[in-house]
């Protein structure tokens, strides 16, 4: 059993695994989708695509939380940031996401009070220090981060803080997987399931999808060998005709996930239909606050008026998130759109597909179709 991180990056082992994958693929074409921004970045950073045969297509799905947040939500956050009575607390990725007319970074430069945080709990310190202001936490993320938003809200309630609020924009990964499979717009032969999300949800939610759609799902860690081993496993399962779930990340993911985190999440949030950028509304794929906590939802407490949202007409983030296009297909990639002047969220987020292609170079697999 490998224990040290260097072992998960061993080039000789990686080449051996890549050789096995090539043999298993035998010249056949496979579309394998990762639905986790950290996997996307890891695949590019470690140059895995160049090790794989060109017939293995690794498609990046809707695995970046900032990227899937609809333009309307971004616009309403920007409008709220302009209010002198508001402090926006957010993780760094949100700062540069372009809204229809502005971004949080531009609003910050104009004087808006926007705080970058590393943990939602920091919001409570900010709220205590600024009792005359409304402190609004942008609860954008997947199953991994939403439990900490829930814990923060409960803590705010216990401390009697009345100026802490949320924008509840969390999303669930398994409904997005089902949506892509049911839509049949992209052929997906297997899923590389997200390690971080699986730490919370465990293996069961994927099992239902695997059985319903007859597709293999493999939970993978984030090192090069983790991902290669998961790809090999997917090919083996396809060859064996086995739909199901295999957990190749047992050092972090337990079959039952993290029931405690899910309990906190369920105490505060309930599942509801939600809109995703590029995918539209997906049934039961997002979170809203439970009736007893709706007083924390800033959009309900104090709605903001915004004009109709418009995405940049050049941007094809939506298609990239559905796995039907790659950054090279976008006319703006590396020209009008770059990390220093992004036109869409996929170029902003550290987990965005366009940003990963820009930073590490993309080997187009679509061109091999
Ligand atoms: S390169 Fe820029 S404009 Fe094109 S899809 Fe990506 S984020 Fe959008």
């Amino acid at each position: 059993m490998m224990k040290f991180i260097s072992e998960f990056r061993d080039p000789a082992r990686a080449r051996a695994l890549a050789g096995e994958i090539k043999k298993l693929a035998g010249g056949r074409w496979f579309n394998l989708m990762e639905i986790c921004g950290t996997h996307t970045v890891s695949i590019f950073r470690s140059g895995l695509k160049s090790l794989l045969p060109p017939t293995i297509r690794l498609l990046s799905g809707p695995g970046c939380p900032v990227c899937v947040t609809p333009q309307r939500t971004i616009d309403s956050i920007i409008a709220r940031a302009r209010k002198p009575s508001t402090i926006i607390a957010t993780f760094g990725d949100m700062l540069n996401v372009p809204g229809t007319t502005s971004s949080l970074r531009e609003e910050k430069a104009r004087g808006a009070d926007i705080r970058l945080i590393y943990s939602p709990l920091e919001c409570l310190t900010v709220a205590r220090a600024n009792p005359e202001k409304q402190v609004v936490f942008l609860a954008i993320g997947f199953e991994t981060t939403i439990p900490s938003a829930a814990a923060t809200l409960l803590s705010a309630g216990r401390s009697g803080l009345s100026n802490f609020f949320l924008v509840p924009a969390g999303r669930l990964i398994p409904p997005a997987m089902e949506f892509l499979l049911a839509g049949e717009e992209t052929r997906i032969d297997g899923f590389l399931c997200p390690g971080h999300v699986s730490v919370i949800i465990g293996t069961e939610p994927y099992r239902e999808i695997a059985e319903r759609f007859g597709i293999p799902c493999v939970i993978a860690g984030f090192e090069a060998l983790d991902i290669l081993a998961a790809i090999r496993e997917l090919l083996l399962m396809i060859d064996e005709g086995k739909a199901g779930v295999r957990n190749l990340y047992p050092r972090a993911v337990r079959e039952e996930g993290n029931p405690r985190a899910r309990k906190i999440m369920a105490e505060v949030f309930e599942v509801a239909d939600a809109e995703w950028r590029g995918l539209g509304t997906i049934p039961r794929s997002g979170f809203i606050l439970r009736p007893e906590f709706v007083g924390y939802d800033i959009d309900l407490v104090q709605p903001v008026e915004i004009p109709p949202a418009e995405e940049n007409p050049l941007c094809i983030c939506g298609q990239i998130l559905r796995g039907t296009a790659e950054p090279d297909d976008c006319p703006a990639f590396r020209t009008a759109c770059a990390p220093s002047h992004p036109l869409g969220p996929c170029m902003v987020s550290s987990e965005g597909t366009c940003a990963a292609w820009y930073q590490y170079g993309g080997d187009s697999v679509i061109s091999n179709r």
Side-chain angles (χ1 to χ4, degrees):
M1 191 173 45
M2 293 188 286
K3 277 200 264 179
F4 302 106
I5 208 73
S6 57
E7 295 176 284
F8 287 94
R9 297 173 183 170
D10 178 36
R13 288 188 192 195
R15 277 193 295 276
L17 269 172
E20 286 182 50
I21 289 168
K22 191 174 173 196
K23 221 178 196 174
L24 279 168
R28 292 171 296 165
W29 291 91
F30 295 99
N31 283 354
L32 308 178
M33 179 175 272
E34 86 267 1
I35 27 166
C36 167
T38 314
H39 275 152
T40 304
V41 171
S42 185
I43 286 164
F44 279 97
R45 194 174 41 215
S46 53
L48 284 190
K49 281 196 176 181
S50 63
L51 280 181
L52 296 172
T55 55
I56 305 266
R57 304 173 185 135
L58 297 183
L59 307 176
S60 302
C64 153
V66 167
C67 304
V68 302
T69 303
Q71 191 80 347
R72 201 155 43 94
T73 306
I74 306 285
D75 284 352
S76 72
I77 290 166
I78 290 169
R80 189 172 301 289
R82 293 185 184 128
K83 289 177 176 285
S85 58
T86 300
I87 297 174
I88 298 284
T90 178
F91 300 127
D93 273 356
M94 275 299 291
L95 211 55
N96 290 321
V97 176
T100 301
T101 59
S102 175
S103 68
L104 285 179
R105 182 176 292 283
E106 286 170 50
E107 297 306 323
K108 190 171 168 61
R110 290 185 191 118
D113 195 342
I114 297 164
R115 313 279 178 102
L116 295 189
I117 54 164
Y118 294 95
S119 156
L121 282 170
E122 290 174 49
C123 297
L124 304 188
T125 310
V126 177
R128 272 185 212 105
N130 297 275
E132 74 293 354
K133 300 267 186 106
Q134 292 175 325
V135 176
V136 179
F137 171 59
L138 309 184
I140 290 169
F142 296 130
E143 294 91 332
T144 327
T145 44
I146 299 307
S148 62
T152 303
L153 185 149
L154 292 173
S155 182
R158 281 195 298 272
S159 349
L161 273 175
S162 57
N163 62 332
F164 169 76
F165 300 91
L166 292 176
V167 173
R171 298 287 182 269
L172 293 115
I173 286 288
M177 293 165 67
E178 279 188 77
F179 179 87
L180 290 171
L181 290 168
E184 293 182 352
E185 194 184 11
T186 318
R187 196 193 94 204
I188 301 169
D189 299 309
F191 276 114
L192 214 61
C193 297
H196 296 143
V197 164
S198 306
V199 168
I200 305 296
I201 68 174
T203 59
E204 205 46 42
Y206 306 120
R207 199 172 310 284
E208 288 164 26
I209 294 171
E211 281 166 13
R212 189 169 148 218
F213 292 95
I215 193 162
C217 295
V218 174
I219 299 169
F222 298 101
E223 297 301 331
L225 293 196
D226 284 322
I227 295 170
L228 286 170
I231 292 169
R232 180 187 55 183
E233 196 68 22
L234 281 171
L235 297 191
L236 282 169
M237 290 171 81
I238 292 168
D239 271 355
E240 291 163 7
K242 284 204 175 132
V245 188
R246 290 193 185 154
N247 177 12
L248 293 202
Y249 195 31
R251 63 188 190 276
V253 175
R254 288 176 296 167
E255 200 176 326
E256 71 278 18
N258 183 335
R260 190 155 169 257
R262 289 202 304 276
K263 183 168 176 279
I264 292 174
M265 200 155 61
E267 209 177 311
V268 172
F269 294 101
E270 58 187 33
V271 172
D273 299 352
E275 190 190 339
W276 296 55
R277 184 188 295 260
L279 282 76
T281 298
I282 304 180
R284 299 185 55 74
S285 68
F287 296 102
I288 55 172
L289 288 163
R290 289 200 170 278
E292 58 270 40
F293 296 117
V294 290
Y296 288 94
D297 184 335
I298 192 69
D299 288 326
L300 296 179
V301 172
Q302 199 179 80
V304 282
E305 297 256 323
I306 50 165
E310 283 175 33
E311 294 176 21
N312 189 298
L314 292 176
C315 183
I316 59 162
C317 270
Q319 292 173 53
I320 291 172
L321 293 166
R322 295 198 302 275
T324 59
E326 290 183 323
D328 262 356
D329 300 318
C330 173
F333 182 59
R334 289 189 192 279
T335 52
C337 182
S340 58
H341 48 277
L343 298 186
C346 303
M347 185 58 91
V348 172
S349 169
S350 55
E351 299 194 336
T353 306
C354 298
W357 275 60
Y358 187 94
Q359 191 171 359
Y360 302 108
D363 306 317
S364 176
V365 291
I366 294 269
S367 62
N368 293 324
R369 280 176 191 168

